[in-house]
Amino acid sequence: MAPSIHTNHTLVLVVDDDLVIQMQLRLAMEKEGYEVMVAADGKAALDICLNSPPDIVLLDAMMPVMDGFICCAQLHALDPNISILMITGLDDQGSVDKAFEVGAVDYITKPIHWAVLKQRVRRLLQMHWLIKEFQYKVKQEQLVAKITQKIRTSLNLELILSTTVIEIRKLLKTDRVIVYRFQPDGSGCVIVESVDPEWSSMLGRVFKDTYFLDKSSHKYRHSNVYVIEDVNDAGLSPCHIDLLNGLQAKANLVVPIEQEDNIWGLLVVYECSKPRKWAKSDIDLLTQLTYPLIMAIQQAELYQQLEVANQKLQQLANIDSLTQIPNRRSFDQVLEREWKRLEREQVPLSLILCDIDFFKNYNDTYGHQLGDECLKEVAKIIYQVAQRPGDIAARYGGEEFALVLPNTDTTGAICIAEIILAYIRTRNLIHESSQISSYLTLSLGIATIIPQSSSSPKWLIAKADEALYRAKLTGRDRYAIYEYSLGELGYESRNVN
Amino acid sequence: MSSIDTQVLESLLDMLEGDQDVLAEIINCYLMESPKIIAAIQTSASQGDADNLGKTAHNLKSSSASLGAMDIHQLCLELESKGKNGNLAGSLELVSQLINEYAQVEIDLKKLLQSSSCTPRYL
């Protein structure tokens, strides 16, 4: 619970085996307006402290079962902040010394002077509250520092928000803390939550009604914190009460998270078990936290924009703008990567270089615009063929295209080449100025290797290029193969019809 | 009312903000508890159980003082001291004084309870 300095609730534990004195002490404390619990011996006192820690303990020094000094030491060990007032005999300096040794903050002698007792208890309680408030302030500052630190070291908004709700719930000792995010249409969704398992979760819940929006446009403006101490006694509209009852809320605090004029969302704290008189320090904590939260949101949003821009840039850097398939740069990267991988795995890597036959004539006949259309058509075909995971079809340069085919031996590469040649034929793209056909044709050079450290991707490209040259020499509209195992004489060229 | 220091009772009543019903409750509690303690004191003294004598005398000492039974307080103090020191010489004599004194205190306190005003100031 937050420091009770903001409430009138004070709990006093009276421990005395003498029932007459115990009764007098209880009455004296009750007359002061405190709530009083009594115990007749040290063991019973410890049990009470474990279950409902008192603000102050009036402890008789001489008791059976467990004497006051042992009890005092154990209470002190249980909670060093507990205020213990020892009651000793008047003539007993030894007891007084012993009392301080075991952690009592003060003592009073028997017979009890009632005015002295009351004044001493008042003073000790004042001190007790001051210490508690100070400790709470320290915790609060630590929390703000922790969240601010999280924001500095993380751009992950969800992580920051999760940390925030968890820590707030811990500090306020409350049942549920959420962050609710508005959508442009006025609806909204609970995006993070920390909830005691005893209560139902709101995470992911969407609120379509305009309830939150209405609130946001009126009461939440100007950083107002919306405070409800008792849902059923706050003059709320029936539908508002229904909504809060549905959320098991008995009390809540709502803080808007505002960016300039725009309400991004809400930070909401719910007390589910009972109504709660919120302390000023609770409210202050939340308003104090909204500033770092807004910073975190802005940072995260900027980062998201940057990510999108980066992705776009990455795409621009790797995609050929005309054909929209991977460009030479991308091809080089993939070939390098696959080479290394397959060198480790010792499996074949094939490369097909592909060139449009008599493309210069095509451009001269139909103009560059139709020439571009032709490149797009060919790009589409080879892109469709290279569909296995790991395959890549790229524009290698000019009218030349390349296919990187990992885990593919010569037979597999031939198969792909044949599909490409068959595909282009079925397209029947007219090419009047071709010297070998009335339709557009392609020449393909295939090279396959199991990558070795003694060789390199450059070597593979050179060999595919040689094979391509050979396909051109032997009549075009065909593929030619270079096989490493066949050595320098290993050319084979085929025109598949 | 020679057996009761009325000033002590007055300050107790002050603490209780003049609530005489509550004062009566406290006195009744004392009258209920004390005979049991006195019996225990008597047993300890006759059996020569010094340790127990000290403890039981201590028990009666504070409550008696809190209601102004100062003679009982004094007798208890002596008995407690004898118990602590383990020297029980004369303790039986003190116990019989204690019993007599308590009889007087009981009478006085009961009178107090019966008096309609129940206000120590007018005793």
Side-chain angles (χ1 to χ4, degrees), chain A residues 255-297:
Chain A
V255 188
I257 304 169
E258 293 176 294
Q259 275 181 297
E260 290 155 16
D261 274 348
N262 177 31
I263 296 182
W264 184 89
L266 304 169
L267 179 61
V268 191
V269 177
Y270 293 102
E271 189 79 12
C272 299
S273 51
K274 58 189 180 308
R276 175 163 171 173
K277 200 166 161 57
W278 298 102
K280 187 177 174 299
S281 57
D282 300 338
I283 297 165
D284 287 349
L285 170 74
L286 296 187
T287 46
Q288 221 181 330
L289 276 175
T290 51
Y291 180 68
L293 279 183
I294 289 161
M295 271 180 32
I297 291 160

Side-chain angles (χ1 to χ4, degrees), chain B residues 27 29 37 41-42 46 62 71 78 109 115 121:
Chain B
I27 291 170
C29 182
I37 303 172
I41 290 171
Q42 204 173 6
S46 59
S62 302
D71 289 343
E78 286 169 41
L109 285 176
S115 73
R121 279 187 183 86

Side-chain angles (χ1 to χ4, degrees), chain A residues 381-414:
Chain A
I381 288 165
I382 69 154
Y383 187 76
Q384 280 167 0
V385 170
Q387 280 306 315
R388 295 172 312 171
D391 286 358
I392 180 180
R395 187 174 177 201
Y396 190 68
E399 69 272 28
E400 228 174 303
F401 295 88
L403 284 102
V404 179
L405 306 167
N407 300 70
T408 307
D409 59 11
T410 308
T411 318
I414 289 170

Side-chain angles (χ1 to χ4, degrees), chain B residues 53-70:
Chain B
L53 180 67
K55 280 179 185 163
T56 46
H58 174 84
N59 271 356
L60 189 61
K61 183 182 72 173
S62 302
S63 51
S64 301
S66 74
L67 289 174
M70 300 322 287

Side-chain angles (χ1 to χ4, degrees), chain B residues 64-79:
Chain B
S64 301
S66 74
L67 289 174
M70 300 322 287
D71 289 343
I72 292 190
H73 175 257
Q74 188 54 42
L75 287 166
C76 286
L77 201 63
E78 286 169 41
L79 281 169

Side-chain angles (χ1 to χ4, degrees), chain A residues 34 53 176 227 277 280 302 321 336 356 359 364 414:
Chain A
Y34 310 137
R176 192 196 290 124
V227 182
K277 200 166 161 57
K280 187 177 174 299
L302 278 176
S321 60
E336 186 74 37
I356 301 171
F359 187 66
D364 293 346
I414 289 170

Side-chain angles (χ1 to χ4, degrees), chain A residues 161 165 177-183 185-193 202-213 216 220 243 247 254-257 263-268 270 297:
Chain A
L161 295 177
V165 293
V177 180
I178 62 155
V179 171
Y180 177 85
R181 179 166 189 186
F182 285 112
Q183 301 302 324
D185 66 357
S187 73
C189 177
V190 177
I191 56 168
V192 292
E193 179 186 48
M202 283 174 72
L203 189 62
R205 263 190 75 171
V206 174
F207 294 87
K208 286 215 163 58
D209 47 32
T210 54
Y211 162 73
F212 276 111
L213 187 68
S216 69
Y220 295 155
L243 178 89
L247 301 176
V254 183
V255 188
I257 304 169
I263 296 182
W264 184 89
L266 304 169
L267 179 61
V268 191
Y270 293 102
I297 291 160

